[in-house]
Amino acid sequence: MTTAFLNARVFDGRNPTLRDGLVVLVRDGIIAEIGEDVAIPDDAERVDCGGRVLTPGLIDGHVHVVANSVDLTAGVQWPSFVFAQAGHIMRGMLDRGFTTVRDAGGADAGLVRAVEEGWLKGPRLVISGLALSQTGGHGDMRTIYRAPGEATHDRVGSMIGRICNGVAEVREAARDEMRKGAKLVKIMASGGAASVTDPIGNTQFSGEELRAIVEEAVAWNTYVMAHAYTPRAITAAIEAGCHTIEHGNLIDEATAKLMAEKGAWLCPTLVASDILTKFADKYGFSDTSMKKIAFVCERGLESLQIARAANVNVGFGTDLLGLELHEYQCNEFTIRAKVEDPVDTLISATSRNAEMMCMAGEIGEIVVGARADILVVDGDPTTDPEVFTRHGETLKVIMKDGAFHKNDFAA
Ligand code: ZN
Ligand code: ZN
């Protein structure tokens, strides 16, 4: 199957300036040719972009598609129910222009396959499996009434983590998640905002455990993504060899410098705390949780400025929970626009995220040989951060792997 996009203004995912009047030819799911004088085969489907902007499909580097409830402890539900809702959440993401998402805990290989085979409509899923957490860590959602040793190693409903302690157990957990289809290993390396029992200032996992997990990921030719907020936790994770730091809201200059030296990545997720602050009453968060959420929210924009100033590699994530809150996924663009150029956010959400996920050249770029994940949009997302916040209204075309999810130009 061949598709020719004509008269497109191309944002290629990397270059901040648009190129006018291009033809982008897609053959068998791959971008085959780009140029002003591309010979268009007779059997090609023609899409006249009419001078609109054509961009790579968006990438969200931090999602939880099984997080159907803002209260993660409400995870004890039928897996079938949770996964049906995951289908709804994923469909919404694709409708908003996200053609790839990295799941940071919860999604399994069954969901990956369901999308690949077309049983569910959604973005390509790159999964971590269950996030590894120590006892009392950010992924330990047990009530405090649980008996010692009563762990939650089995997947139940919307669970996003599993508990492991000590070098032997963390190795086993990492290997087990990769055996089950995880493409990377996710760990909880510091306290969290939405959780109740773990203070945000603690570190989680010992240096020995962190190094063992990184060793297992590297042995599998992949990497570790680490949830971490504070300079202390980020430093421990980076020194152990973790590749991406998730959130990082409380980062300081010295830590940013260390990350830049190591070539590590920051995946900010500013919209999550922003939205939770707005909906606090509705979801009945405790005062303790709300104080933590308000604190990381305040520091979020500053963390992005500190990271940019130190030349840290910066990706793009959202980390939203709950069925309704996923609607605000693209507010990440408008929030970041308060401190950076919209085109830099867009580069983070396309080519830079692909690099962060070790998928450079495959996704996130309009370049020959890349997968044909393509959006045609009304408006200019390189200058206007609100183009994507209208729930897909501005998207005329959404193509994933060369197949149309949406084509407003079709007769
Ligand atoms: Zn997290
Ligand atoms: Zn998360």
Side-chain angles (χ1 to χ4, degrees):
M1 201 183 107
T2 308
T3 307
F5 291 93
L6 312 174
N7 195 15
R9 288 185 85 193
V10 174
F11 165 71
D12 67 8
R14 213 168 264 288
N15 190 333
T17 52
L18 300 170
R19 283 173 67 203
D20 282 325
L22 293 190
V23 174
V24 177
L25 193 72
V26 170
R27 193 180 296 122
D28 300 328
I30 300 291
I31 297 173
E33 283 180 72
I34 305 164
E36 283 167 16
D37 303 304
V38 172
I40 299 164
D42 290 342
D43 63 345
E45 179 172 3
R46 290 161 177 257
V47 177
D48 187 347
C49 301
R52 288 182 183 80
V53 175
L54 180 151
T55 75
L58 303 174
I59 303 170
D60 190 330
H62 191 126
V63 304
H64 299 280
V65 302
V66 303
N68 59 347
S69 164
V70 174
D71 177 7
L72 281 175
T73 57
V76 187
Q77 300 175 26
W78 294 284
S80 51
F81 178 73
V82 172
F83 294 152
Q85 291 196 318
H88 173 82
I89 290 170
M90 289 191 292
R91 168 83 193 231
M93 290 174 170
L94 186 56
D95 288 344
R96 286 186 286 275
F98 290 90
T99 48
T100 305
V101 299
R102 184 174 65 160
D103 193 277
D108 66 15
L111 281 177
V112 176
R113 182 170 167 187
V115 172
E116 271 174 15
E117 294 187 5
W119 304 109
L120 290 177
K121 296 266 177 254
R124 181 179 302 109
L125 273 179
V126 177
I127 63 165
S128 70
L130 293 173
L132 312 193
S133 168
Q134 67 170 50
T135 290
H138 183 52
D140 186 348
M141 300 293 172
R142 298 174 301 164
T143 67
I144 54 172
Y145 312 111
R146 287 278 183 106
E150 199 184 333
T152 48
H153 280 217
D154 290 325
R155 182 184 302 285
V156 183
S158 64
M159 289 240 326
I160 66 165
R162 62 184 281 173
I163 297 164
C164 48
N165 295 287
V167 168
E169 269 187 30
V170 300
R171 282 193 195 281
E172 207 251 336
R175 289 172 183 172
D176 188 48
E177 290 307 319
M178 292 186 286
R179 169 184 79 86
K180 290 173 179 161
K183 295 293 178 218
L184 57 126
V185 179
K186 166 74 186 295
I187 64 167
M188 303 305 196
S190 85
S195 47
V196 184
T197 55
D198 53 337
I200 204 156
N202 68 2
T203 59
Q204 299 184 3
F205 288 126
S206 65
E208 226 184 353
E209 288 167 324
L210 292 173
R211 286 190 297 276
I213 297 167
V214 170
E215 194 181 19
E216 293 303 329
V218 171
W220 205 280
N221 290 314
T222 184
Y223 63 90
V224 175
M225 69 189 285
H227 157 109
Y229 279 103
T230 60
R232 184 173 160 230
I234 296 169
T235 302
I238 293 297
E239 281 178 347
C242 292
H243 175 68
T244 76
I245 297 297
E246 306 301 305
H247 323 305
N249 295 48
L250 308 179
I251 197 170
D252 59 14
E253 279 86 4
T255 316
K257 190 165 166 267
L258 175 72
M259 285 184 68
E261 276 165 21
K262 299 275 184 185
W265 289 76
L266 177 70
C267 186
T269 60
L270 305 181
V271 64
S273 49
D274 182 73
I275 286 296
L276 287 179
T277 316
K278 291 190 177 113
F279 285 83
D281 295 345
K282 188 169 172 192
Y283 295 106
F285 277 104
S286 68
D287 281 353
T288 319
S289 285
M290 272 328 299
K291 274 190 195 132
K292 290 199 283 184
I293 293 168
F295 180 53
V296 298
C297 183
E298 255 174 55
R299 291 289 307 276
L301 285 172
E302 203 185 330
S303 70
L304 185 56
Q305 289 171 303
I306 292 171
R308 290 288 194 195
N311 268 325
V312 175
N313 296 313
V314 177
F316 175 102
T318 56
D319 197 27
L320 290 166
L321 309 173
L323 278 186
E324 325 154 48
L325 297 191
H326 279 101
E327 291 287 311
Y328 298 93
Q329 191 174 20
C330 290
N331 286 26
E332 188 73 18
F333 287 100
T334 47
I335 294 169
R336 283 176 61 159
K338 290 176 188 165
V339 296
E340 68 181 19
D341 198 323
V343 76
D344 290 328
T345 315
L346 192 58
I347 290 170
S348 281
T350 51
S351 68
R352 294 294 272 164
N353 258 2
E355 280 177 61
M356 179 178 78
M357 291 159 62
C358 303
M359 297 174 78
E362 187 185 346
I363 57 171
E365 276 184 86
I366 302 299
V367 63
V368 170
R371 289 169 181 252
D373 297 344
I374 291 174
L375 310 177
V376 178
V377 304
D378 267 342
D380 181 358
T382 65
T383 55
D384 178 2
E386 288 184 16
V387 164
F388 293 116
T389 59
R390 290 167 214 148
H391 308 292
E393 268 172 49
T394 56
L395 305 180
K396 298 287 148 189
V397 169
I398 303 171
M399 172 180 267
K400 191 185 94 181
D401 272 329
F404 287 106
H405 172 61
K406 177 180 185 183
N407 181 5
D408 278 358
F409 301 120

